[in-house]
């Protein structure tokens, strides 16, 4: 039995909806609404009628936290967390955003790839240097991060802790994450006299304190630390 043809106006509407949906999205996977930006990787979608607002975490990226400070190419501090939120607001605030759900996090937030028209917000934030590729969960945006690092865009123009390292430091109570010259490697002397350096990837980086009066110091590269007689701490 042949299905009746759709009236012309309904056919046009159906085609418009199909074109707006992200490729590969299944029914129920795409959430649409007017965006309000919370921070550099989180938005809230206000939906029509009585549908509750949805809090969305952008999939595959991690932007600097709101209280996070980075340093620029000249070693000057700047509020990279605020800038990341501001850039996402320029891209999405008050606009219709379509979010393709990929997962739910431990807080039951929707984790999604979000788009304004054909623009991938997640990828744009990384490509412009306002977010890191969140490799722990996906490598989707690794190429964009490499390009941003190569061209020294955004946080990659100077020095910045990855947001997950910043959060780890906060949990341990450490606030000194970047040296006065913008360097991020800590050269520490243990009680036994061992000279060790800690990168942001080192487990004890956050709680390690630097006492320059006792010969401890910050380094801008592992090569610089090794040349000064410091060995890598266990990772």
């Amino acid at each position: 039995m042949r299905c009746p043809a759709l009236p012309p106006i309904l056919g046009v509407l159906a085609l418009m909806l199909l074109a707006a949906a992200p490729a590969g999205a299944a029914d129920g996977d795409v959430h649409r609404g007017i965006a309000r930006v919370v921070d550099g990787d989180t938005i809230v979608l206000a939906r029509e009628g009585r549908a509750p607002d949805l809090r969305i975490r952008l999939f595959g990226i991690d932007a600097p936290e709101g209280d996070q400070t980075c340093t620029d190419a000249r070693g000057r501090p700047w509020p990279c967390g605020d800038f990341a939120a501001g850039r996402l607001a320029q891209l999405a605030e008050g606009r219709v955003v379509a979010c393709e759900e990929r997962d739910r996090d431990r807080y039951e937030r929707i984790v999604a790839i979000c788009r304004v028209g054909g623009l991938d917000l997640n990828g744009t934030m990384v490509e412009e240097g306002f977010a890191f590729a969140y490799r722990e969960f996906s490598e989707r945006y690794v190429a964009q991060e490499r390009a941003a690092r190569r061209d020294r865009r955004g946080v990659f123009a100077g020095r910045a802790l990855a947001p997950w390292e910043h959060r780890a430091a906060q949990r341990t109570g450490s606030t000194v994450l970047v040296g006065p010259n913008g360097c991020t490697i800590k050269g520490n002397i243990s009680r036994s006299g061992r000279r060790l350096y800690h990168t942001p990837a080192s487990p004890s980086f956050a709680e390690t304190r630097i006492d320059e009066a006792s010969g401890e110091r910050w380094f801008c590269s592992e090569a610089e630390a090794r040349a000064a007689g410091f060995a890598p701490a266990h990772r």
Side-chain angles (χ1 to χ4, degrees):
M1 176 179 175
R2 297 183 60 189
C3 294
L6 288 172
I9 186 62
L10 293 182
V12 170
L13 289 173
L15 289 173
M16 290 175 63
L17 289 173
L18 286 172
D27 291 342
D29 284 342
V30 180
H31 309 278
R32 291 181 175 81
I34 304 298
R36 174 173 59 83
V37 171
V38 177
D39 57 31
D41 53 35
T42 309
I43 64 175
V44 172
L45 293 185
R47 299 186 294 167
E48 292 183 351
R50 297 184 179 181
D53 292 353
L54 293 178
R55 192 176 183 93
I56 309 284
R57 176 70 162 79
L58 300 188
F59 171 80
I61 78 170
D62 200 3
E65 298 293 334
D67 63 348
Q68 192 169 342
T69 299
C70 303
T71 58
D72 64 16
R74 299 175 65 180
R76 298 171 299 188
W78 62 288
C80 51
D82 288 342
F83 270 73
R87 180 52 181 152
L88 185 57
Q90 289 176 341
L91 294 169
E93 185 83 28
R95 300 185 181 183
V96 177
V97 175
C99 293
E100 178 188 349
E101 184 171 344
R102 288 301 184 93
D103 200 359
R104 298 279 176 130
D105 67 12
R106 59 178 176 169
Y107 305 109
E108 282 303 307
R109 288 180 302 183
I110 294 169
V111 182
I113 297 171
C114 294
R115 297 177 174 88
V116 173
L119 181 69
D120 181 339
L121 295 174
N122 310 40
T124 300
M125 289 295 290
V126 178
E127 190 171 11
E128 293 187 358
F130 290 107
F132 291 71
Y134 209 171
R135 290 170 172 82
E136 181 180 351
F137 298 100
S138 173
E139 295 192 355
R140 182 183 179 96
Y141 299 109
V142 169
Q144 286 89 334
E145 182 183 306
R146 287 175 180 156
R149 287 182 181 275
R150 181 193 64 225
D151 297 337
R152 302 183 67 80
R153 302 182 200 130
V155 299
F156 305 114
R159 296 184 179 276
L161 278 182
W164 53 89
E165 292 163 351
H166 176 79
R167 292 190 293 269
Q170 286 186 317
R171 287 193 294 270
T172 60
S174 175
T175 57
V176 182
L177 306 176
V178 181
N181 55 356
C183 298
T184 57
I185 296 176
K186 297 179 178 181
N188 176 256
I189 302 174
S190 69
R191 292 181 181 179
S192 63
R194 295 185 66 198
R195 300 165 75 84
L196 303 172
Y197 68 82
H198 304 259
T199 71
S202 304
S204 55
F205 175 82
E207 61 265 29
T208 298
R209 304 293 192 273
I210 297 300
D211 180 6
E212 294 185 354
S214 66
E216 298 176 339
R217 54 180 290 197
W218 290 85
F219 297 102
C220 291
S221 71
E222 293 189 57
E224 182 184 356
R226 289 193 294 268
F230 287 75
H234 293 300
R235 298 179 183 175

